[in-house]
Amino acid sequence: MCGIVGYIGEKCACDVLVEGLRRLEYRGYDSAGVALLVDDHINVVKTIGKVSVLENIIHDSKSARIGIGHTRWATHGEPNSVNAHPHTDCSGDIAVIHNGIIENYVALKKKLSCLGHEFKSQTDTEVLAHLIEEFNSRADNLEVAVRLALREVDGTFGLVVMSAKEPEVLVAARRGSPLLIGLGESEKLIASDASALIRHTRNVVYMHDNEIAVVTRNNVSLKNLDDETINREAEYLTFNLEQIEKGGFDHFMQKEISEQPETILNAFRGRLKDDEGIATMGGLRDVEDKVTNAKRFVIIACGTSWHAALVGKYIMEQHARIPVEVDYASEFRYRKPVLMEGDVVWAISQSGETLDTLAALREAKRAGVPVYGIVNVVGSTIARETDAGVYIHAGPEIGVASTKAFTSQLAVLNLINLLVSRKRKTLDAKQGKEIIEEMHRLPEKICQILDQKERIKEIAEEFRDSRNFLYLGRGVNFPVALEGALKMKEISYIHAEGYPAAEMKHGPIALIDEDMPAVFIALGHSTYHKSLSNIQEVLARKGKVIVVANEADGRLKDLSDHIIEIPRTLEILSPILSVIPLQLLSYYMAIERGCNVDQPRNLAKSVTVE
Ligand code: F6R
């Protein structure tokens, strides 16, 4: 969601903050702002729009050596420069940036207004500035004021506070929204995401929930909200700057789609035992028995990660013969789910920070069942709070539309399937070896699909003015249809629906006419012939048919307006290939329509609010 960065040190704070905000822009971007300490007073500059707009209106702040910056994704109050962060107290001496939601802000605002505080914005965050001001008049210092203020607050926060009265200190606090502190020499940074500080230092301390940090240029003092000191080792960030830059591509999404041959390789690296036909994952080694003897898997996730979970259900029920339930994390956490002994809960998340997924996994832990993670971002909250887990190793995903993380999640779900099926003896070593051989071939096959991008671009040109799309698939490729539709919606703003192909005749078929393109995923697997019938049904109603098919499928050539051919592979691995043309189609469609591919409207990369 919102991006947060704070700096204290010897460099020009303004430059460090603006550069950090630019890297965070993918998280939230309707407005941006900074607060910089210049000649004993706090200079706040904020604007609606992008960080580049902000940069152009910051003047006379180059001397500042301490400051805080924010990119906003609106929750309370429309996007405008007044509602943009930082927010200040009545005196203008205290400035706050915040990610999260203050749930009792209406009551707090009322109370503070009665005490004479004057509010400028419609945000929940502004109450924090006034609340801290209220306590600051009685407390010894800013740290104490922040701690006392946070005792009054219900909700979630990742926040950084500065005060003109304490020009050598930043105070940060976290509950539910990520924050980490970068430990440079004679300088410290605070950020909601490692990408904002990696240029300055790789040594970081991750803050945990209910912690407060007092940060000066030479020191970090970490405590819990009860004022008890916490000693935590610094961690070393291993990803490099090139991984979070565009590297010659026009967009992050395009770069990330094209990285998939490598990211799939990385997901499998060191985890395949070719001779034994089984997978091994370091993160699950201690819990392998619990995983393989589980009576049921329950997978919780949101959005694209939920689609990956659904593919996992098809695969694992087919091979490992283990019942798998897939739940939207946001529904799971509120519907009193029945969890039983023998259940294993998996949380899938690219960012590792999605609030609903985090809350759902906490709910599952409270029920006493083991919870394991399938996560991309190393050190993220979900990675830390799960009992064990597997990293997907897709590298930083910056484009808001998830692409490479999805295929890497599928790769890891296949690894888990292979491990569990072999241990449960529902697959023998020969079958395991066949799967592994096919896994090794996937990167090359992905390259073959990527080579067809010009062809997919032409299809996008033809359909650029379509107002609706249907995506239809069956079995393991039904969730891929959902994912294709989601990609189309989120970056092209074209209404798209995904359905299991056979469901079409139970309603959606009424939508078919000559203006309705239907994208079928029809591969030569178990439901192939049924898919052919479903395609006929669309053609009979003059719908336009685009098919993702296996190469050299003569029959489908005659049955479609456009065919995108992908190499053959095993059914359980096929979603890793079949989704790629759909990612490319939505990408080129967005380009054709002049949409902002990496920063689609209303969306943020990491959804850290409910
Ligand atoms: C869609 C997309 C979102 C995320 C969802 C969950 O392209 O990116 O639907 O998949 O917000 O995010 P994570 O996986 O970070 O928990």
Side-chain angles (χ1 to χ4, degrees), residues 70 143 268 360 438 481:
H70 189 271
E143 175 200 347
F268 290 147
E438 250 329 282

Side-chain angles (χ1 to χ4, degrees), residues 40 46 65 68 107 154 210 212 243 284 347 367 412 422 519:
D40 298 336
K46 45 194 197 173
R65 296 292 175 262
I68 55 181
D154 294 333
N210 297 311
I212 185 163
Q243 283 177 290
L284 294 184
V412 166
R422 289 281 289 109
V519 181

